[in-house]
């Protein structure tokens, strides 16, 4: 049995590492400047640990270190620093209402580049972190492997989006701050939802693999993007014509596409965690 | 052309009506005690106005009253009081970050009682206001006409749920704080989602009308409710077995059920607003 690591304590709120973590935890775009991710709480950390992703630093609160079982949060492989934070300091770093006293710091791998032909979701200037996280979660659940966030979309690795994504980030190829021209690299048919045009989603044959384009909560897909060749589909709303929330519409479309692909044998229910690029 | 009404000004933050509105706007369950609803913002007010629902009081901020076009917010029929609030007072009442300076006060019609055979969604102790509102929105969009919230579910008319519902509340028969026995009145087949049992949703024949049961975000459906006769379905997740958000799962299930009913001619795309019971 290997020796347990020594946890280096931090007691000062002026510690520069602590200040950096506070920025990562509380500022939506700090990860782009600092090149690191602050992932907090049991669910996210267990996803990272079980996927064997590289952890830079394991951060535990003193009270968590005093409880039995904290050793489960040591990643099995790789080298990582271990830091013990006073509970009050951890709570000052944390952006969560109930502080878990558990976080991993991971390297951020950069904005990514578009892969040509894996099933993809394109986000066109979506603003709401909850919507973006929910869409990543649906994309991962339904067998999509890549999410391309065009310029103007909420930062994919912001703490709010990561929390809403519930670990989906780690099974997707993520591309951020992409200009519209980046879509030229996609060798996939584009699918758009429309409120007034196209075949009904529940009747239309849908290609696989494909790229679904989801637009801004208020303005929808930009005219330049809508001018690209695409297939439009409509979601039937027998109860009325109010617009659906974009994350709701996304879940319905991605599920419909994936289940058609399942029925055609183009996709299997495999239940595995895929970490294509992290 | 009828004379424009006189707006009675309120200048004092100690005005008892103002205090009641503040409670309605900021306390999730105050409507049950005070018997009234505070509905704020252009979207909700336009739904209420266009549906001809009874408005007790029209509340406008002084700055909105100073802009052209404020007359559009006078309901066409019925008698209603009109109140002008100082902008600072309106902002103190409002629970919104950007105060719209526009609200209607409506009578709350009580907890409602279960209708036997209209398409229904049952909420079993759902906690999150955003989830509950999103589910009401999906239910209304996909032709469901009733939502029954069992005891322990977030208050359906709380300001957060109403905002997330985007007006769906007004096209649904809503039943709140219902004991489990209230479901005895439902003459509908019950449908439950399961992570491990039942036919695949995208392959299963689904009855219409039906009642979908959605359970607590962490614990799922209660054992007593799961023991009732029901049909279980599974949502295929070719990308992995992480649980879906309950509002996402609901949207997928309700859409699948409604589109099957459409294809069988049991339901039509009518696009109308239905206000069955408000």
């Amino acid at each position: 049995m290997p020796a347990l690591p020594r946890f280096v304590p931090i007691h000062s709120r002026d510690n520069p590492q602590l200040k950096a973590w506070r920025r990562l935890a509380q500022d939506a775009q700090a990860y782009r400047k600092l090149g690191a991710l602050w992932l907090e709480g049991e669910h996210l950390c267990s996803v990272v640990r079980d996927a064997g992703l590289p952890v830079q630093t394991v951060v535990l609160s003193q009270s968590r270190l005093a409880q039995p079982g904290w050793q489960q949060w040591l990643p099995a492989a790789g080298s990582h620093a271990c830091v013990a934070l006073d509970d009050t300091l951890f709570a000052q770093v944390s952006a969560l209402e109930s502080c878990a006293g558990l976080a991993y710091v991971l390297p951020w791998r950069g904005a990514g580049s578009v892969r040509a032909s894996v099933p993809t979701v394109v986000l066109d200037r979506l603003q709401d972190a909850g919507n973006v996280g929910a869409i990543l979660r649906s994309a991962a659940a339904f067998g999509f492997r890549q999410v391309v966030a065009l310029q103007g979309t909420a930062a994919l690795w912001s703490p709010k989006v990561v929390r809403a994504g519930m670990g989906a980030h780690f099974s997707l190829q993520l591309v951020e701050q992409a200009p519209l021209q980046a879509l030229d690299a996609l060798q996939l048919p584009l699918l758009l939802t429309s409120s007034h045009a196209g075949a009904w989603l529940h009747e239309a044959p849908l290609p696989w693999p494909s790229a679904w384009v989801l637009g801004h909560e208020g303005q929808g897909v930009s005219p330049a993007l809508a001018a690209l060749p695409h297939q439009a589909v409509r979601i039937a709303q027998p109860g009325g014509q109010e617009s659906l929330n974009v994350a709701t519409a996304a879940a319905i479309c991605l599920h419909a596409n994936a289940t058609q692909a399942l029925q055609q044998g183009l996709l299997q229910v495999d239940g595995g965690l895929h970490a294509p690029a992290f």
Side-chain angles (χ1 to χ4, degrees), chain A residues 127-229:
Chain A
Q127 300 300 300
D128 182 80
N131 282 341
V132 172
I135 291 170
L136 264 61
R137 201 172 163 189
S138 294
F142 297 127
F144 290 76
R145 297 292 166 87
Q146 175 170 256
V147 173
V148 178
L150 297 179
Q151 286 167 354
T153 301
L156 295 186
W157 289 100
S158 78
K160 282 186 188 172
V161 174
V162 171
R163 275 201 298 283
M166 295 284 286
H169 287 66
F170 302 105
S171 56
L172 293 164
Q173 162 79 355
L174 297 179
V175 184
E176 292 200 281
Q177 297 182 284
L180 190 56
Q181 295 74 15
L183 300 186
D184 294 347
L186 276 183
Q187 293 168 11
L188 294 170
L190 293 185
L191 291 162
L192 268 71
T193 57
S194 167
S195 59
H196 59 280
W200 296 112
L201 175 73
H202 64 282
E203 294 176 345
L206 302 168
W208 185 269
S210 63
W212 283 89
V213 180
L214 303 166
H216 182 280
E217 286 87 352
Q219 302 159 14
V221 171
S222 73
L225 184 39
L228 297 177

Side-chain angles (χ1 to χ4, degrees), chain A residues 41-234:
Chain A
E42 296 197 354
H43 180 77
L44 282 174
C45 288
S46 64
V47 170
V48 167
R49 177 198 61 193
D50 297 347
L53 299 173
V55 175
Q56 277 177 352
T57 309
V58 177
V59 187
L60 298 181
S61 67
Q62 291 286 7
S63 68
R64 188 177 272 270
L65 265 174
Q67 292 164 13
W70 62 265
Q71 295 87 345
Q72 68 180 295
W73 298 111
L74 297 174
S79 68
H80 39 263
C82 294
V83 171
L85 278 190
D86 292 353
D87 287 22
T88 50
L89 289 182
F90 205 121
Q92 285 167 14
V93 172
S94 175
L96 302 183
E97 282 187 26
S98 80
C99 173
L102 162 67
Y104 289 163
V105 181
L106 270 73
W108 178 57
R109 296 293 183 87
S113 59
V114 172
R115 298 189 173 195
S117 53
V118 294
T120 295
V121 175
V122 177
L123 306 180
D124 181 22
R125 299 165 298 126
L126 267 72
Q127 300 300 300
D128 182 80
N131 282 341
V132 172
I135 291 170
L136 264 61
R137 201 172 163 189
S138 294
F142 297 127
F144 290 76
R145 297 292 166 87
Q146 175 170 256
V147 173
V148 178
L150 297 179
Q151 286 167 354
T153 301
L156 295 186
W157 289 100
S158 78
K160 282 186 188 172
V161 174
V162 171
R163 275 201 298 283
M166 295 284 286
H169 287 66
F170 302 105
S171 56
L172 293 164
Q173 162 79 355
L174 297 179
V175 184
E176 292 200 281
Q177 297 182 284
L180 190 56
Q181 295 74 15
L183 300 186
D184 294 347
L186 276 183
Q187 293 168 11
L188 294 170
L190 293 185
L191 291 162
L192 268 71
T193 57
S194 167
S195 59
H196 59 280
W200 296 112
L201 175 73
H202 64 282
E203 294 176 345
L206 302 168
W208 185 269
S210 63
W212 283 89
V213 180
L214 303 166
H216 182 280
E217 286 87 352
Q219 302 159 14
V221 171
S222 73
L225 184 39
L228 297 177
H230 68 267
Q231 175 180 347
V233 295
R234 278 188 288 176

Side-chain angles (χ1 to χ4, degrees), chain A residues 16-37:
Chain A
Q17 205 165 24
L18 191 78
K19 286 183 175 175
W21 295 340
R22 194 182 299 136
R23 279 183 66 192
L24 292 175
Q26 302 187 3
D27 173 346
Q29 300 191 22
Y31 69 88
R32 291 176 179 163
K33 286 183 190 154
L34 302 179
L37 306 168

